[in-house]
Amino acid sequence: MCRLKGEVFTPYTGAGTQKPFGLSALWVAPTLGIDEVTGTGANLFTVWVGDSQAVFEILAPAFDADADWATANTTDGSIRLLTATSEGLLTPTGVNPDNAIAELVDVPSTDKILVRLNKFDFASSGGTLAGGS
């Protein structure tokens, strides 16, 4: 998700000057025809922001099924960052420290990934990160 102002959010697509903020607890993907919010009539939902100790289980189809998750799932202890596709799906493709949303923790299966929303400033870390392709 991307925060517009105060408590107003929109799906993160990486367009323009958008900055990633957190994960949606419900799924709104207009280009995929999915909107779990509008049906309630309230147009309200939760945005999870987490921290370095919170790990989130993300189930398909909320992540890019076409991405190379086997390669992204590092085994050397390096940090693998994730960003979002233009449809708002988590992906390791095209990620850089400025558009990073989350850190990949594990890929337990083809339909599940584990991530954490570490608010560490990746852009100024100067450390070695496993970048996207």
Side-chain angles (χ1 to χ4, degrees):
M1 297 302 292
C2 169
R3 189 170 97 187
L4 297 176
K5 63 178 182 174
E7 295 293 316
V8 179
F9 299 90
T10 190
Y12 176 79
T13 63
T17 60
Q18 278 191 335
K19 296 290 183 198
F21 184 81
L23 298 176
S24 171
L26 298 174
W27 198 17
V28 178
T31 57
L32 299 176
I34 299 170
D35 188 341
E36 296 178 345
V37 177
T38 303
T40 66
N43 203 27
L44 301 172
F45 61 97
T46 303
V47 176
W48 295 95
V49 291
D51 66 12
S52 63
Q53 296 179 11
V55 175
F56 295 87
E57 181 179 272
I58 311 296
L59 303 176
F63 57 88
D64 182 4
D66 295 328
D68 185 357
W69 291 101
T71 300
N73 196 20
T74 61
T75 58
D76 63 1
S78 61
I79 295 172
R80 174 61 73 170
L81 302 177
L82 302 176
T83 189
T85 66
S86 60
E87 294 84 22
L89 305 175
L90 287 173
T91 185
T93 306
V95 69
N96 63 59
D98 293 323
N99 69 5
I101 296 172
E103 174 187 341
L104 181 64
V105 172
D106 194 12
V107 182
S109 68
T110 57
D111 62 350
K112 177 173 38 177
I113 62 173
L114 301 176
V115 303
R116 70 181 183 157
L117 303 177
N118 192 344
K119 290 297 184 183
F120 181 73
D121 185 357
F122 293 112
S124 66
S125 71
T128 302
L129 302 174
S133 54

